[in-house]
Amino acid sequence: MKTALKSWAAACALVIAGSAGAVGVPGQGTWETTLQPRDLDGDTVTDAFYDTELNITWLRTVNPTGQTSASAKVWAEGHGAGWRLPTMIDTGTPGCDFSWIGGTDCGFNVRTKEGATVFSEMAHLYYVTLGNKAYCPGGPASCASAPSGSGLTNTGDFLGLRPSSAFWTDVDVPGVGGTWSFFFHTGNQDLNCWNHCVSPAIVVRPGDVTAVPEPAAAALMLIGLGVLAAARRRREQA
């Protein structure tokens, strides 16, 4: 995990440098309080964020390399047990029920979370956690122009989250021949072709993930436990 994270971070540096305005914006969205940093490998560097609203953990570094839907799923699962692509709920008829106004599963200003039901993890990240606005405001029945301040203006502390591409979910629609994706440059959720289109990906897993101690720390812990066990045996034999 540690080596892969550092290589992705290096690859993302060029992407971040070219994403004007895509930075962490204090006071926009809930990210400063609802995304809790997690050090997965014990090196004191933030590798992931536990999302207290969705009860999932986001990997901090996004893979900027375009992948097909199938290869993105394999890549996500390769991080270990539980890691996956973000998910969403395909409501209504299978496939896109498009709306400019919002409140559906497809288009702009889509459903994010209602009560305990999470309709789209990435839409919630975009709209609620990071406080970004869609290119189409949630009111008009059509979209003539983008409102001021729309698009991916806030990326929080993520590395490589860019405003130019769709990001894969893990939800396919076989009858339609597409995979659900979220477009971070416009705030649009829609189907993306799954067999030849390539897009970047971000990885999540359910619940919180505790840090994995460094080998030296783990060794010291084992030594400490051994000392305690030996002392206990001596007391029992006395």
Side-chain angles (χ1 to χ4, degrees):
M1 170 72 78
K2 183 175 180 179
T3 302
L5 284 170
K6 295 189 183 303
S7 63
W8 295 333
C12 287
L14 295 176
V15 175
I16 298 170
S19 301
V23 296
V25 181
Q28 179 175 318
T30 65
W31 66 281
E32 293 167 287
T33 56
T34 60
L35 294 184
Q36 299 179 355
R38 293 291 182 265
D39 174 14
L40 302 183
D41 52 16
D43 65 353
T44 72
V45 175
T46 296
D47 303 312
F49 300 108
Y50 173 58
D51 190 325
T52 59
E53 291 189 20
L54 301 185
N55 189 30
I56 59 176
T57 298
W58 300 89
L59 200 62
R60 184 186 187 190
T61 303
V62 175
N63 184 357
T65 304
Q67 308 165 83
T68 64
S69 172
S71 61
K73 289 179 182 179
V74 172
W75 172 77
E77 294 166 357
H79 288 75
W83 291 99
R84 57 171 174 77
L85 296 177
T87 194
M88 55 82 67
I89 298 177
D90 187 343
T91 60
T93 57
C96 175
D97 295 309
F98 186 86
S99 173
W100 297 104
I101 300 173
T104 66
D105 58 9
C106 184
F108 302 89
N109 307 290
V110 296
R111 300 169 78 179
T112 57
K113 180 176 183 287
E114 297 172 17
T117 302
V118 179
F119 289 95
S120 173
E121 292 171 341
M122 282 193 287
H124 191 277
L125 175 66
Y126 179 92
Y127 286 110
V128 181
T129 308
L130 299 176
N132 294 302
K133 298 178 182 178
Y135 269 30
C136 294
S142 63
C143 184
S145 61
S148 175
S150 62
L152 187 64
T153 60
N154 181 21
T155 61
D157 281 336
F158 284 93
L159 300 178
L161 187 58
R162 60 186 183 182
S164 59
S165 298
F167 283 76
W168 294 114
T169 74
D170 65 353
V171 181
D172 299 325
V173 186
V176 179
T179 297
W180 281 99
S181 299
F182 191 86
F183 296 75
F184 275 90
H185 60 303
T186 59
N188 177 33
Q189 186 167 266
D190 207 334
L191 290 173
N192 197 8
C193 51
W194 59 4
N195 55 356
H196 61 276
C197 290
V198 293
S199 292
I202 189 169
V203 181
V204 302
R205 65 163 295 167
D208 198 355
V209 180
T210 56
V212 177
E214 290 281 359
L220 288 174
M221 185 183 298
L222 290 174
I223 292 172
L225 291 173
V227 171
L228 290 175
R232 181 176 179 180
R233 285 196 298 269
R234 286 196 297 269
R235 286 196 303 269
E236 291 174 349
Q237 293 170 359

